[in-house]
Amino acid sequence: MTFPLSVCIGFFLGFVFGVGCALAVMYSIYMGGYRAAVRDSILPTQPERLTKALAKLKPA
């Protein structure tokens, strides 16, 4: 295996799989938080943390 070919393979494996896996993990964390927020917003009694966050968002 020549040096340029091994560099290309290493770059491909490191960049594509490394960055791709990191993005997949961040997306799954984001979607899990989004689902939890939607679930909490439709509860009959909203959690205290949600009501505090909504109070901060309301204009003065």
Side-chain angles (χ1 to χ4, degrees):
M1 184 175 281
T2 63
F3 181 72
L5 181 60
S6 62
V7 168
C8 290
I9 291 173
F11 179 77
F12 177 77
L13 291 176
F15 184 73
V16 174
F17 288 118
V19 174
C21 289
L23 289 175
V25 168
M26 288 190 301
Y27 179 74
S28 65
I29 291 170
Y30 169 76
M31 288 305 294
Y34 179 76
R35 287 187 190 109
V38 170
R39 184 183 61 238
D40 287 348
S41 70
I42 60 172
L43 290 173
T45 57
Q46 295 179 340
E48 182 182 343
R49 186 173 176 194
L50 178 61
T51 54
K52 286 181 181 179
L54 290 174
K56 288 181 182 179
L57 292 174
K58 289 184 181 177

